[in-house]
């Protein structure tokens, strides 16, 4: 969410804008030079702007509102452990301490969740604010706070806000962080007081980034402009239940019989993104056997379709407009819902050295600086009715409580379940309303005023359907065209003024997830944990559990819809009939899968399928991760315990850093059989001989294989996808979408990709592993046809010919990037992590970015490896998401647990704790994690006393 101080317009106004832009850049440059000078010579800026914003960590501070003294003990990494004698004091101190280290980050987050980024960063964020205001996260959070949350939760939120505001009291922006000092030169922005709703709103941002298959829903519709239904099925293959086991294998779901019929949303139509109308077309470019372009379809959830042609492709264009809006939103805790994964597993005591469970977790999120996580311990000096908490783990700065971690009795971890809780609906507009069951209903409307730093405020009108679905099309000119051009089936109402696009999402209804956080923090056993999980509405997460009494478990929580028969949420749905809407009919908690003490002695979750659909009556989603990581973790556990072996804490750490490439295991034997004429390419091919398929940072073989994989994907799939999915700037000459016969070269059109590199397709994740696996035994498939690109002629349709070309292209790509001498090649030189401040560090003057950002780090690991340092094969090799933290909890001796964060405790750019954990994180190392009072005291370097 970079601020943009540069105005760019045309002709004479542009000159004025450029002058203003240069002036703004010069102001920031002066600031940067002053900061550099201050740091170098101990001048004014060093003292007043940088060091003055660092937290006080020793001595004492008086805080109004405390009922008793609170101790804040920090270790050598600045990680705080807080000790108090009442719940309110504990959470007030948590707010104060998090604000000391991270208030700027907290402030940006609350402006994002409330759609007020323009107040901080000016007009560049108006479009984002319009979209976020339309979603209305803060309004839902306010309803939750007022009507849904328990009295205790409200009390804790109020105490937390009181602590944040105690930190802010009497401080100007430059006293809080360097970023405010920079903003102060171009903006008169002043931080406002913190509110309880600011904390609750952050849960909506978390839910948005973990919202499920919305991107796949859009992409399947976009694919229909170039591909036929069968080809889309090829690119979204079935989950391999026989090979990659689901999470729940021995579990149950209360109040459901052992035998049942498929019900709920398990309809057959729409899951492949195709429809009944139009011919499928047999070739990869969508042409049918007679040479005409196949009429593809945007499948509705009822299994019918909308033929494309010239008007049908418009729908895909409008959905691309929606993608553009979504992609431009600031990243909250992930890569805008794309490619997000995580690992979490638990091993029972019968298989561990200690005789008690071990639990590991490493959520995979986008890399940010500072990390989204903040490590912290919250301890009551004596656990009692007045002070109920003794918990430690990973928190979100801006929210009280611990999100992932352990208390004295239990530990828990989370991975994204991927359950489908979002649907897009086409709505028939009619005058000032919309058609519903044959009648016109009025929209619910509200006016929003967006304040803009340095500019005039802007007013917008937000429209919602009666069931509170916001019209996303109101925020995108492209989406307005949905109703003007989209072709639908014969049963659709007359187009009239057109169709709109609305969003149905469980997180747009008030819930009580905040209650779940506190309940989980003090749960003492499995029953208490499940009761807490029952309150965990959104986002739906895979929850793994272990306790000190040697029990392990898994629970799927969440508000999960039951759709009408024939609807599965995989593609946009027609919204003008009530029978096609899901309302307030959600699965009961007792109907959700869980598993407790399975005979196998371990539970693995890594975004794979939760259950086998043959053994469960409800459709949770059609878009699971494909289980590559989960099965690798399972195999590592089974290898370790084979013959009675025992798992240690360090074994769990080593499993977290396993970087084996499963796609290499499948492809390398075939690649080694390819006959190559060029000795330089053969030299590169020889790197794969004897390679153990691990992706260490110093591995030349890993560098070459991943380059080959990238080029295989580009040749077989990337050049055949529509522009809306390809990398921005990647231009190809293609047949026009609306052609019905052969096209001469002179009639081809030039289409350039429109997507950011870290969001484009094919991304190379384990869905693409499965796509290629299914095609390996079809060497003559049309997918293996290589198109003519630039001066390179197209190849015959033959798998090995395409592989040969990919190996040649990879050799010369790496020659250009790494040099001709393969002895100098390494995966880490390609696969680099850059940590960027998520606001001022992402654009603007290079000096400011230099001050705020860090890196690069040369990393091992890779896409769909357990050590999931993800990269997007369409866009390049740089790391785009990471294990955002790693932890291993030892339930036999909690003080022997281990943890690490991606960056550090501090959000202050020159603090010693800004990125002091990153080097160890990159090496796969973990830090000691003190919990009990003596261990905390032994590790404490600084103690601050907060006095009433």
């Amino acid at each position: 969410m970079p601020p943009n101080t540069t105005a760019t317009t045309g002709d004479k106004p542009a000159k004025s804008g450029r002058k203003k832009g240069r002036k703004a850049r010069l102001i920031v440059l002066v600031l940067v030079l002053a900061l550099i000078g201050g740091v170098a010579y101990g001048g004014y800026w060093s003292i007043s702007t940088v060091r003055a914003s660092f937290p006080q960590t020793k001595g004492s501070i008086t805080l109004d509102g405390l009922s008793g003294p609170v101790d804040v003990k920090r270790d050598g990494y600045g990680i705080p452990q807080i000790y108090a004698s009442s719940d309110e004091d504990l959470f007030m101190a948590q707010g104060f301490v998090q604000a000391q280290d991270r208030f700027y980050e907290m402030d940006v987050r609350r402006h994002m969740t409330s759609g007020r980024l323009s107040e901080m960063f000016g007009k560049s964020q108006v479009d984002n604010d319009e979209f976020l205001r339309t979603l209305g996260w803060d309004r839902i959070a306010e309803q939750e706070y007022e009507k849904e949350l328990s009295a205790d939760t409200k009390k804790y939120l109020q105490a937390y806000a009181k602590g944040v505001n105690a930190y802010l009291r009497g401080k100007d922006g430059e006293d809080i962080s360097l970023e405010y000092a920079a903003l102060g030169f171009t903006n008169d922005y002043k931080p406002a007081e913190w509110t309880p709703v600011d904390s609750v709103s952050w849960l909506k941002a978390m839910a948005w980034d973990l919202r499920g298959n919305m991107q796949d829903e859009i992409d399947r519709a976009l694919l229909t402009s170039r591909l036929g239904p069968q080809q889309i099925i090829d690119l979204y293959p079935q989950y391999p239940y026989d090979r990659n086991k689901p999470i729940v294998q021995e579990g149950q779901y209360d109040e459901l019989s052992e035998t049942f019929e498929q019900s709920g949303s398990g309809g057959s139509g729409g899951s492949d993104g195709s429809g009944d109308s139009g011919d499928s077309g047999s070739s990869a470019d969508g042409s049918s056997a007679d040479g005409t372009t196949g009429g593809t379809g945007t499948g509705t959830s009822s299994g019918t379709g909308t033929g494309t042609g010239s008007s049908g492709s418009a729908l895909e264009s409008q959905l691309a407009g929606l993608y553009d809006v979504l992609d431009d939103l600031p990243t909250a805790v992930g890569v805008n819902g794309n490619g997000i994964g995580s690992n979490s597993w638990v091993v029972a005591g019968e298989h561990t050295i200690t005789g008690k469970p071990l639990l590991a977790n490493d959520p995979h999120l986008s890399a940010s600086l500072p990390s989204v996580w903040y490590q912290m311990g919250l301890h009551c000096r004596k656990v009692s009715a007045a002070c109920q908490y003794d918990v430690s783990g990973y928190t979100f700065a801006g929210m009280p409580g611990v999100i992932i971690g352990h208390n004295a009795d239990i530990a828990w971890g989370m991975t994204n379940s991927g359950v489908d809780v979002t649907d897009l609906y086409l709505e028939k507009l009619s005058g000032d309303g919309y058609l519903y069951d044959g009648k016109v209903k009025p929209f619910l409307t509200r006016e929003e005023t967006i304040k803009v730093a340095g500019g005039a405020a802007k007013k917008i009108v937000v429209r919602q359907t009666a069931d509170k679905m916001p019209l996303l099309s109101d925020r995108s000119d492209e989406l307005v065209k949905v109703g003007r051009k989209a072709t639908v089936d014969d049963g659709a109402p007359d187009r009239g003024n057109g169709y709109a696009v609305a969003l149905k999402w469980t997180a747009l209804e008030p819930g009580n997830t905040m209650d779940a956080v506190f309940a989980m923090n003090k749960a003492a056993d499995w029953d208490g944990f499940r009761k807490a999980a029952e309150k965990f509405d959104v986002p739906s997460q895979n929850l793994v559990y272990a306790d000190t009494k040697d029990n392990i478990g898994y629970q799927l929580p969440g508000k999960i819809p039951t759709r009408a028969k024939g609807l599965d949420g995989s593609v946009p749905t027609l919204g003008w009939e009530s029978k096609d809407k899901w309302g307030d009919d959600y699965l009961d908690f007792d109907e959700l899968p869980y598993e407790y003490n399975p005979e196998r002695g371990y539970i693995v979750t890594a975004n794979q399928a939760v259950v086998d659909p043959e053994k469960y009556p409800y459709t949770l989603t059609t878009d699971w991760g494909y289980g590559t990581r989960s099965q690798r973790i399972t195999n590592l556990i089974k290898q370790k315990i084979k013959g009675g072996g025992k798992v240690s804490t360090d074994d769990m750490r080593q499993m977290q850093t396993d970087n084996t490439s499963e796609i290499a295991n499948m492809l390398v034997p075939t690649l080694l059989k390819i006959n190559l004429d060029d000795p330089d390419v053969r030299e590169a091919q020889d790197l794969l001989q004897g390679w153990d398929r691990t992706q260490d940072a110093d591995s030349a073989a890993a560098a070459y294989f991943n380059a080959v994989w990238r080029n295989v994907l580009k040749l077989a799939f990337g050049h055949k996808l529509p522009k809306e999915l390809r990398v921005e700037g990647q231009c190809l000459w293609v047949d026009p979408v609306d052609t019905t016969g052969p096209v001469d070269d002179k009639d081809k059109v030039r289409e350039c990709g429109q997507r950011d590199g870290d969001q484009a397709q094919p991304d190379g994740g384990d869905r693409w592993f499965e796509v290629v696996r299914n095609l390996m035994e079809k060497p003559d498939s049309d997918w293996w046809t290589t198109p003519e690109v630039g001066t390179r002629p197209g190849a015959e349709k033959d798998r090995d010919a395409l592989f040969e070309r990919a190996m040649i292209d990879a050799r010369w790509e790496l020659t250009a990037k790494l040099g001709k001498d393969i002895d100098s090649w390494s995966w880490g030189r390609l696969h680099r992590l850059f940590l960027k401040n998520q606001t001022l560090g992402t654009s603007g003057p290079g000096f400011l970015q230099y001050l705020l950002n860090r890196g690069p780090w040369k990393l091992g690991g890779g896409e769909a490896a357990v050590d999931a340092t993800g990269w997007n094969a369409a866009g390049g090799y740089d790391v785009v998401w990471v294990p955002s933290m790693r932890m291993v909890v030892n339930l036999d001796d909690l003080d022997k647990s281990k943890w690490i964060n991606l960056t550090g405790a501090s959000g202050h750019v020159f603090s010693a704790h800004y990125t002091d954990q990153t080097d160890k994180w990159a090496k796969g190392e973990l830090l000691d994690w003190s919990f009990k009072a003596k261990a905390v005291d032994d590790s404490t370097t600084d103690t601050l006393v907060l006095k009433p």
Side-chain angles (χ1 to χ4, degrees), residues 609-842:
V610 171
V611 291
D612 187 331
E614 296 297 322
K615 301 177 181 178
Y616 189 70
Y618 306 109
T619 297
L620 299 173
T621 185
T622 60
D623 292 299
W624 303 114
Y626 281 78
T628 301
R629 282 178 286 109
S630 63
Q631 197 58 43
R632 175 61 180 171
I633 295 167
T634 297
N635 292 341
L636 290 170
I637 294 171
K638 291 169 70 174
Q639 290 169 16
K640 185 65 182 180
I641 65 179
K642 185 178 180 180
K646 301 293 184 179
V647 179
S648 69
T649 300
D650 197 59
D651 290 330
M652 300 284 274
R653 179 195 66 81
Q654 290 185 48
M655 292 177 192
Q656 286 180 324
T657 57
D658 180 85
N659 58 31
T660 301
S661 171
E662 294 299 318
I663 189 63
N665 285 334
M666 183 173 70
L667 290 187
V668 165
T670 301
L671 296 176
L672 289 173
K673 295 177 183 178
I674 303 295
N675 292 318
L676 299 165
D677 295 330
D678 190 322
D680 290 317
V681 182
R682 286 202 307 272
E683 181 186 29
Q685 183 187 38
D686 288 342
L687 290 171
L688 305 180
Q689 293 281 1
W691 178 42
D692 63 1
R693 322 290 204 260
T694 60
Q695 301 173 94
D696 296 333
D698 61 358
S699 171
Y704 181 60
F705 172 78
N706 282 315
V708 172
W709 171 236
R710 178 174 187 249
N711 280 278
V712 166
L713 292 170
K714 185 189 301 184
L715 293 168
F717 311 103
H719 292 322
K720 299 160 190 172
L721 300 180
K723 62 182 182 297
E724 293 87 357
L725 274 70
R726 296 201 312 271
V727 176
E728 185 176 6
Q730 182 194 83
C731 301
L732 302 171
W733 290 95
V734 299
D735 295 348
V737 170
D738 57 352
T739 52
T740 57
V743 177
D744 294 334
D745 287 346
K746 64 181 178 62
D747 294 323
K748 290 181 181 291
V749 296
R750 189 170 185 261
E751 286 188 350
C752 298
Q754 298 177 347
R755 225 170 244 197
D756 287 343
D758 62 359
Q759 299 280 322
Q761 294 292 341
D763 61 22
D766 65 354
R767 173 165 68 90
W768 293 99
F769 290 13
E770 201 65 22
V771 169
V772 171
R773 184 189 300 275
N774 291 343
L775 292 172
M776 286 297 287
E777 302 305 318
K778 303 174 184 176
D780 296 327
S781 167
D782 286 349
W783 287 111
W784 299 125
T785 303
T786 58
E788 180 178 343
V789 180
T791 60
R792 296 291 301 275
E796 296 298 325
K797 71 176 175 180
D798 175 83
R799 182 198 66 195
D800 289 353
L802 185 141
F803 282 4
E804 177 182 0
R805 180 161 160 183
M807 295 175 77
I808 295 169
D809 289 355
R811 193 340 170 177
W812 299 117
E813 180 187 359
L814 294 197
T815 297
K817 292 180 182 293
L818 304 178
K820 187 174 182 180
D821 182 4
I822 64 172
D823 291 337
S824 68
W825 291 2
S826 71
W827 177 223
R829 288 181 62 196
L830 288 173
H831 192 53
R832 301 172 301 167
L833 170 66
F834 294 87
L835 292 175
K836 295 184 177 181
N837 177 289
Q838 291 301 290
T839 56
L840 303 181
T842 59

Side-chain angles (χ1 to χ4, degrees), residues 66 110 127-128 137 152 176 188 249 353 394 449 451 500 561 595 634 646 676 768 775 783 858 860 932:
L66 287 176
R110 67 167 165 176
D127 288 346
N128 283 336
W137 291 344
D152 280 346
I176 298 173
D188 60 358
Q249 301 170 43
I353 288 176
Y394 294 86
T449 300
K451 297 179 181 178
E595 195 165 60
T634 297
K646 301 293 184 179
L676 299 165
W768 293 99
L775 292 172
W783 287 111
K858 299 176 181 178
K932 296 176 183 176

